[in-house]
Amino acid sequence: ESLLEREVLLQAAPHVVAPLEFILPHSPEQRPAWMIRIGLFLYDHLGGRKRLPGSRRVPLAGTAYGAPLQPWVRTAFSYADCRVDDSRMVMLNAVDARERGAVIHTRTRCVGAERGADAWQVSLEETGSGRRRSVEARVLVNAAGPWVSQFLQQVLQQDTRNRVRLVKGSHIVVPRLHDGAHAYILQNDDGRIVFVIPYEQAFSLIGTTDEGFDGDVARPAISPEETAYLCRVVNRYFARQVAPADVVWSYAGVRPLYDDASADPSAVTRDYVFDLDTAGGAPLLSVFGGKLTTYRKLAEHALEKLQPAMGFAAGNWTAGAVLPGGDIADA
């Protein structure tokens, strides 16, 4: 689903989604090189690839691909993926929704909701002024990300059988580690992968980590252990060594994953799960999990869930639509 959506987003927003070549150095603990090549062949053909080049084995000796790597790396593969300006992607969706009639309230929280037989009475509060307003909604969708369970429990005074698993991912930025527009995907000896991506011309973005999180989801921060881990993975592959002192910036985020009871945070499903509650009157749809790549498909599935209760005609039109600016030639 993610590979198929990648093609959709390339068409919908070519000004904020761009192809990116990833170089995968082969390390001893990975599957044999021939098996990696078969896996990449499947990767090429499962997702309806139309706009991106296929995977291939790449030469390292005397090339920009091999220049930053340590001598023990003898084999590497290339595959195509995409990068996205995530904050602009979110903004473009908001602008598009507004142009189609949506009313968007920023810096506003939902502080209460009363359920009726046919509608919700929702109380909204502006976080700066404290001013409140009441709106009526036929359906309430709880897409609060890492706050999804908290909203159910604290605002609606409900419990839920579905739980969200909070997993923190952290990144570091260091002075540029390699020339060229390509990125690297490094598999560590613990089975996890770390990316090294060109960032803002003069820097390299290194990430990410996966660890359980139980702090304030509004203020996640990288730990010294995570910084050391990311440096250690890079230093295993790259000739130029990095240390925590080289970090010029770091950031962390919290993934609101659906809790599938996996013991390993890296193995928790990245899929999304819906909980549609119509028993108490007006529908309530809660969204657990999900990620940026499949956001459009998630929204499409959410409307399919709501269609029987809302009575509108199905219309999955977004797969062929462009986001604002996406239709500007050579944008």
Side-chain angles (χ1 to χ4, degrees):
E1 186 175 68
S2 293
L3 293 176
L4 290 167
E5 283 301 293
R6 184 179 66 183
E7 293 283 327
V8 173
L9 297 182
L10 270 170
Q11 177 178 316
H15 51 324
V16 297
V17 181
L20 180 61
E21 181 184 28
F22 282 87
I23 303 302
L24 169 61
H26 187 260
S27 57
E29 73 279 349
Q30 293 181 36
R31 296 174 176 86
W34 62 266
M35 193 178 293
I36 298 287
R37 188 69 192 91
I38 292 174
L40 289 173
F41 176 84
L42 293 173
Y43 174 90
D44 287 341
H45 291 84
L46 284 177
R49 179 179 56 85
K50 299 175 183 176
R51 299 168 179 264
L52 299 173
S55 60
R56 60 192 175 97
R57 195 169 187 145
V58 295
L60 296 180
T63 70
Y65 298 132
L69 300 175
Q70 294 199 27
W72 67 263
V73 183
R74 303 290 182 86
T75 302
F77 301 93
S78 165
Y79 73 90
D81 206 340
C82 294
R83 66 186 303 164
V84 60
D85 186 329
D86 52 0
S87 57
R88 285 193 67 200
M89 173 67 81
V90 172
M91 296 276 290
L92 291 174
N93 275 271
V95 170
D96 188 57
R98 184 182 64 187
E99 290 178 350
R100 298 177 187 277
V103 178
I104 298 173
H105 300 287
T106 57
R107 299 177 178 84
T108 303
R109 65 165 60 95
C110 177
V111 293
E114 295 293 330
R115 188 183 220 162
D118 301 312
W120 288 88
Q121 294 296 326
V122 182
S123 179
L124 305 177
E125 180 183 89
E126 296 179 4
T127 55
S129 65
R131 186 165 58 245
R132 293 195 177 190
R133 68 169 66 88
S134 181
V135 297
E136 185 175 276
R138 291 171 61 193
V139 168
L140 186 60
V141 178
N142 174 17
W147 293 275
V148 59
S149 292
Q150 182 178 323
F151 178 80
L152 287 169
Q153 294 162 5
Q154 296 183 9
V155 179
L156 300 185
Q157 282 79 52
Q158 294 186 14
D159 203 352
T160 173
R161 59 185 179 277
N162 294 325
R163 297 294 177 190
V164 69
R165 175 87 168 267
L166 301 182
V167 176
K168 183 176 69 168
S170 299
H171 306 74
I172 58 176
V173 174
V174 301
R176 187 72 175 260
L177 292 177
H178 70 279
D179 296 326
H182 58 279
Y184 289 87
I185 174 172
L186 312 176
Q187 181 167 327
N188 195 25
D189 50 14
D190 63 2
R192 292 207 65 258
I193 58 171
V194 168
F195 297 103
V196 180
I197 301 174
Y199 185 73
E200 300 294 345
Q201 289 82 48
F203 303 96
S204 292
L205 172 65
I206 302 170
T208 177
T209 57
D210 275 302
E211 62 175 38
F213 185 75
D214 58 3
D216 182 355
V217 295
R219 295 176 176 81
I222 193 170
S223 67
E225 293 77 17
E226 288 176 293
T227 299
Y229 176 87
L230 294 174
C231 290
R232 187 165 60 251
V233 177
V234 171
N235 290 340
R236 183 179 175 220
Y237 285 87
F238 276 63
R240 178 181 170 186
Q241 303 287 280
V242 295
D246 297 316
V247 176
V248 297
W249 183 55
S250 66
Y251 69 93
V254 178
R255 305 180 188 93
L257 306 180
Y258 176 69
D259 191 357
D260 60 2
S262 174
D264 180 5
S266 297
V268 179
T269 179
R270 264 55 175 173
D271 204 356
Y272 48 83
V273 174
F274 295 121
D275 183 12
L276 178 60
D277 176 9
T278 58
L284 168 66
L285 180 69
S286 295
V287 183
F288 295 83
K291 62 178 185 176
L292 189 64
T293 308
T294 52
Y295 84 91
R296 188 202 66 85
K297 201 67 178 175
L298 185 157
E300 198 172 74
H301 288 162
L303 289 181
E304 289 174 359
K305 286 279 188 182
L306 293 173
Q307 183 184 354
M310 296 286 286
F312 54 75
N316 298 336
W317 54 270
T318 57
V322 293
L323 287 167
D327 54 353
I328 299 174
D330 298 324

